Amino acid sequence: VEWSGECLRSCRREVQIKVEEKEDETEESSSEEEEEVEDKLPRRESLRPKRKRTRDVINEDDPEPEPEDEETRKAREKERRRRLKRGAEAKKFVSENEGALGKGKGKRWFAFKMMMAKKWAKFLRDFENFKAACVPWENKIKAIESQFGSSVASYFLFLRWMYGVNMVLFILTFSLIMLPEYLWGLPYGSLPRKTVPRAEEASAANFGVLYDFNGLAQYSVLFYGYYDNKRTIGWMNFRLPLSYFLVGIMCIGYSFLVVLKAMTKNIGDDGGGDDNTFNFSWKVFTSWDYLIGNPETADNKFNSITMNFKEAITEEKAAQVEENVHLIRFLRFLANFFVFLTLGGSGYLIFWAVKRSQEFAQQDPDTLGWWEKNEMNMVMSLLGMFCPTLFDLFAELEDYHPLIALKWLLGRIFALLLGNLYVFILALMDEINNKIEEEKLVKANITLWEANMIKAYNASFSENSTGPPFFVHPADVPRGPCWETMVGQEFVRLTVSDVLTTYVTILIGDFLRACFVRFCNYCWCWDLEYGYPSYTEFDISGNVLALIFNQGMIWMGSFFAPSLPGINILRLHTSMYFQCWAVMCCNVPEARVFKASRSNNFYLGMLLLILFLSTMPVLYMIVSLPPSFDCGPFSGKNRMFEVIGETLEHDFPSWMAKILRQLSNPGLVIAVILVMVLAIYYLNATAKGQKAANLDLKKKMKMLQLLVASNKYPESPEKVHFALLFKSNAICERPENKH
Amino acid sequence: GQQANSLHTRAAGSVSGLHIFHKEGDHEDLAPQLVPLDYTTCPDVKVPYELIGSMPELKDNPFRQRIAQVFSEDGDGHMTLDNFLDMFSVMSEMAPRDLKAYYAFKIYDFNNDDYICAWDLEQTVTKLTRGELSAEEVSLVCEKVLDEADGDHDGRLSLEDFQNMILRAPDFLSTFHIRI
C-alpha cells in the first residue's frame, strides 16, 4: 500500500502538471476566440492577466520562423492530442482510485470492495475444500491403490462414479414421482389398483411374498401399477402422469450425457496411436506405478517389470521363427467354435428357464419349492459365473499374447451377458403379449360382472327405494393383469438375486477359500498358498462387466419400477464396503500386472453400448404397446406418450399447441433429419482432415529435427539430402517459415 | 527456468486448497518437534531426507531419493514446507501433463546435467529391476531407448526428446501420480 501510495502520489503530480498544461491549452484556445470576438464588440476590461502568446508575437530579433510545412504541423497536432489523451486518462485514474489513495469520497466504498473480494476468495476456497471433502471413500480407494496398484483401484473408481450417476437418477425418480404420489395421491385402499386383491389379502404381509415383491410391496409406490391416472393431484395441481413420463425420458437423456462426457474426457489422454514406436522407452519411464505403497505389491511390481523386460528382450533378439501357421489357425477356429457352442447353449438354457417360469406362474404358488420360484434368476447368475471360466479354458487353445487374449475374453463375456439379456427380454415380451391378450378377456368380463352386481344389488333393495349407494370394496373388484408392474417386478427380482449371488460368491469363493488356505496350510500335503488353490486374485474385468450389465438392467427397469434406482443405490453402497473389505482381506495382488489405462475408455464404450441397447426395448414398449386399462398413470390412454399431447392441449395456450403441431409435420422432421446427417458427415470429414494434418505436422517436425541435427555435422551427406527434401516441401514456401 | 516457473505457478493454482491443508498436517506429523504449527513468521525449517524417504507414500518407491533431491532446495534431499507442497502438487492428479513431464525428466536425470545420457538410463533400469537383469540386457535396453527416443541423435535424451516421447505414453498420467 505504501509503495502504491508513492506511485500514486507521483502520478498525481504528473496529473497536476498535465492538467495545468491542458488548462493552458484551453486558455489559449479560448483567448484565441476572444480575440476574434474583440474585434466585433467593445473591449471589456478583463481581470485575467494578459499573457502574450509567444507563438504569434513576431520580433525582429527572433530568427525567421521556419515555414510551417505539413509534417511539423501534423506532428504538433499529434503531440497535442496525445497530451490531451494522457491528461484525460490520468484524471480518470485518479477519480477511480480515489478510494485507494485513502482520500476523497471513494475511500469507504473501496475498502468495502476490498473486504468483499477477500471474503469471496476465502468462500471459494472453503467451498473447494468442502467439495473435495465430500467425495466419499477417498481413503479406502487410496488404501486399495497402494496395495493393489492402479488397475484394481480403477474398478472402485468406476463403482464410485456409477454411484454418483445412480444418485442423480434416484433423486429424480424419488422427488418427482414417488414423493408426490405418496404425499398427495390417494392413499392405500382407496382404489382397486391400490389395494391387494381379496384373494391375496391373507398372505400379503408374509416375508416370502414380500421378498418376491408381491403382496403389499406390489401395491405400493415402488411399482408402476400403483399410480393413479388423474391428470393433477394435490393442492399444487401436480401433473403426475406428465411428470412420470418426462422423468423417464430425462433419466435416459441424463445417462447418455454423463457417459458421453466421461468418454470425451478420456479421449484426449490417448495421444495418438504410436503404439510401437516407443515400446522400450515407455517400459523404462512409465512402468513404475508411483501409487504403490505396500512392500508386497512393490515386490510383485519389480518382478513383473523384470519379466516384462526379459520378454521384450527375447522378442527383440529372437528371429521370426516360422511357426506352424496352419495348426495355430485350426486351433483358434476350434476355440471359437466351442465358444459359439457355449453361447448358443446358454441362450437356449435361459429361454427354457423363462418358459418354465411361465408354467410355474400358472400353478399354485404353494406347491413350488424355492428353486422353482427362483429358477430363472439362478440360471442367469450361474451362467454368468461359470461361462467365463469355460472361455478361459478355451483360450488356452488359442495361444495369443496375454493382452490380446484378455481382449478376446472380455469380448466373449460381453457377448454372453448381452445374449442372456436379450433372450430374457424376448421371453419377457412373450409374456407381455400374453398378458395383453388376457387383458382383453378381463375387460369383457368386468363389464359383465359389473352388470351382474348392479342387478343383484338393485334386486336386494327392490322393497326399500332408499338404500346405501352402490359400493364395492376395492379389494373385491376383479383386476386386469398389469403387464407393466410385471415387467418392473421381473427386473427388481433379477437385480436382487444378482446382488445375493455376487455376495455369496465373494463369501464362498474368496473368503472361505482364503480361510481354508490360511488355516489348513499347516496340515496339508502341499503348500496351499503357492500351489493350488492359493488366494484368489481380484477379477477386474469380470467385476466391471457385472457392474455394467446390472446398470443396463436398472436402465431398462426403472421406467416400470421407479424404486429401482433407490434399490441400486443401496446395493452400490453396500457393495463398496463389502468388496473393499473382501479385496483387502482375501485377495492378493495380481502376479502379472496389466496396464489399466486404455481399458477405461473400453469400459465406458461398453457402458454406452449397453445404455443404448437397454433403452431401445423401453422406448419400443412406450411407443407401441397399449398401457393397461386399470393400472398406472397412463391407464385409459391408447399409448403412453399421449400424455404429452394432452398436456399441450390443456395446459398450454392454444397458439403454442398449433405451433408444435406444425413442427411435428413429417416434412419438417425429414428436413431436420437430413440436416443432422449432413452435419455429422461434415464434422466427420473435418475430424479426419485434422487428424491427417496432425500426422503431417508430426512428420515435418521429425524432418526438421533431423535437418537441425545434420547441421551440426556440416560434412554429412545427409544434410544435403534432407535440405532438398525439406525444400521440396510446401512448408518452406510459407512466408512465416522462410527463416 | 522461466518456463518452469510459469508451469510451477500453474500447478500451484491447480491443487485444491484441501490438498495443501492436508499435506501441511502430514508435514507436521513427519517431524512434530521440527515443524512449528505457525508459519506466519516463515521459519526456515527443513525436514531431513530420512524422514521423507520413510513416508508411506514413498518408502517403496525406487526413485524416492531422486524425487526428494529434485524437489529439495539444495538438491540434497532435505525439504522445506514449500518444497514438500511443490512435490505433492506436481505428483497430484490435477497437475498438467507438461509439468509432470518436466519434473519426470529431472528425476530420471541422475547426474543433473540436463540430459538423460546412457549412464542415467542404466541407473534407471537397474533401479527398476533391482539388479535382476544382466549387464548385457541392461545395455541392450538402454540402446533401444536411445534408438527410439533420441530425436537429434546426440546419444542422449534432451528435454524435448523426452517430452516428445512421454507425452504420447498412455500410462504416463496414471502411473506418475501420488494420491494424497
Side-chain angles (χ1 to χ4, degrees), chain A residues 26 63 77 133 208 242 244 259 261 298 374 383 428 434 588 712:
Chain A
T26 50
E77 279 295 316
L242 181 70
Y244 196 102
V259 172
K261 199 170 103 159
N374 291 309
L383 276 177
L428 210 62
N434 284 345
V588 285
K712 292 188 188 169

Side-chain angles (χ1 to χ4, degrees), chain A residues 129 138 145 274 595 597, chain B residues 18 57 148 168 171 179:
Chain A
N129 278 358
E138 188 75 7
E145 247 174 351
D274 269 323
K595 303 190 168 140
S597 50
Chain B
L18 175 68
E57 284 93 347
E148 288 170 356
R168 314 245 205 102
D171 319 320
R179 188 182 290 270

Side-chain angles (χ1 to χ4, degrees), chain B residues 161-178:
Chain B
D161 298 331
F162 184 77
Q163 277 186 329
N164 188 28
M165 179 266 297
I166 207 85
L167 290 177
R168 314 245 205 102
D171 319 320
F172 176 56
L173 276 185
S174 59
T175 52
F176 197 71
H177 161 214
I178 294 183

Side-chain angles (χ1 to χ4, degrees), chain A residues 617-629:
Chain A
V618 176
L619 289 176
Y620 170 74
M621 283 194 238
I622 291 180
V623 166
S624 61
L625 292 179
S628 303
F629 75 98

Side-chain angles (χ1 to χ4, degrees), chain A residues 253-537:
Chain A
Y254 171 75
S255 306
F256 266 110
L257 265 177
V258 102
V259 172
L260 280 172
K261 199 170 103 159
M263 277 184 84
T264 46
K265 203 161 66 130
N266 281 336
I267 278 184
D269 289 347
D270 229 5
D274 269 323
D275 247 346
N276 281 318
T277 340
F278 295 117
N279 198 11
F280 272 90
S281 319
W282 288 347
K283 279 201 201 329
V284 169
F285 291 116
T286 62
S287 49
W288 180 258
D289 196 351
Y290 281 65
L291 288 163
I292 292 180
N294 175 289
E296 214 181 281
T297 322
D299 267 346
N300 272 335
K301 190 72 180 175
F302 280 124
N303 288 335
S304 95
I305 292 179
T306 316
M307 204 66 62
N308 216 351
F309 271 122
K310 288 207 172 146
E311 275 175 8
I313 291 173
T314 37
E315 261 181 48
E316 188 65 28
K317 273 202 217 163
Q320 279 301 336
V321 180
E322 260 300 306
E323 295 170 346
N324 196 346
V325 185
H326 298 290
L327 181 66
I328 292 211
R329 280 212 193 123
F330 173 70
L331 283 176
R332 285 179 187 171
F333 175 74
L334 200 65
N336 277 319
F337 177 68
F338 283 138
V339 166
F340 268 123
L341 277 182
T342 318
L343 287 176
S346 85
Y348 178 70
L349 213 65
I350 292 186
F351 195 73
W352 173 83
V354 172
K355 277 285 176 271
R356 270 205 1 156
S357 81
Q358 280 175 326
E359 285 169 32
F360 289 147
Q362 282 161 3
Q363 293 172 6
D364 190 5
D366 295 327
T367 56
L368 302 171
W370 176 87
W371 173 258
E372 276 90 7
K373 279 197 240 183
N374 291 309
E375 187 180 45
M376 195 181 54
N377 304 328
M378 280 293 120
V379 164
M380 278 188 74
S381 313
L382 286 174
L383 276 177
M385 245 176 23
F386 286 119
C387 285
T389 13
L390 272 179
F391 290 150
D392 233 348
L393 207 65
F394 296 146
E396 301 274 326
L397 281 174
E398 285 182 335
D399 196 28
Y400 277 124
H401 185 268
L403 277 173
I404 302 183
L406 186 69
K407 283 215 164 82
W408 274 95
L409 183 67
L410 282 176
R412 283 174 186 148
I413 299 180
F414 185 76
L416 172 79
L417 294 175
L418 199 64
N420 290 354
L421 199 62
Y422 261 73
V423 170
F424 175 71
I425 291 175
L426 283 174
L428 210 62
M429 288 301 297
D430 231 8
E431 227 174 285
I432 292 176
N433 284 329
N434 284 345
K435 285 232 150 73
I436 290 182
E437 291 301 317
E438 200 185 312
E439 199 179 295
K440 296 195 186 124
L441 286 170
V442 171
K443 248 204 239 180
N445 274 345
I446 278 192
T447 39
L448 250 127
W449 171 87
E450 253 184 33
N452 281 342
M453 289 292 280
I454 291 181
K455 231 190 293 180
Y457 186 77
N458 279 341
S460 69
F461 276 101
S462 56
E463 307 87 37
N464 259 343
S465 48
T466 57
F470 179 62
F471 175 73
V472 178
H473 193 271
D476 294 320
V477 177
R479 312 295 178 73
C482 197
W483 64 265
E484 294 99 342
T485 307
M486 187 262 304
V487 170
Q489 277 176 321
E490 288 291 334
F491 278 112
V492 172
R493 282 188 211 135
L494 201 59
T495 308
V496 169
S497 79
D498 226 359
V499 171
L500 288 177
T501 322
T502 316
Y503 288 179
V504 165
T505 316
I506 293 182
L507 270 179
I508 297 184
D510 288 359
F511 182 62
L512 282 187
R513 178 163 148 177
C515 284
F516 173 70
V517 168
R518 177 80 192 283
F519 296 121
C520 293
N521 210 9
Y522 298 120
C523 50
W524 205 263
C525 338
W526 67 87
D527 192 350
L528 286 171
E529 282 187 2
Y530 284 109
Y532 185 80
S534 85
Y535 299 105
T536 23
E537 291 177 355

Side-chain angles (χ1 to χ4, degrees), chain A residues 52-66:
Chain A
K52 282 207 187 134
R53 284 194 317 169
T54 48
R55 247 191 342 223
D56 289 350
V57 168
I58 299 180
N59 212 329
E60 279 126 21
D61 296 299
D62 286 341
E64 285 284 320
E66 286 159 23

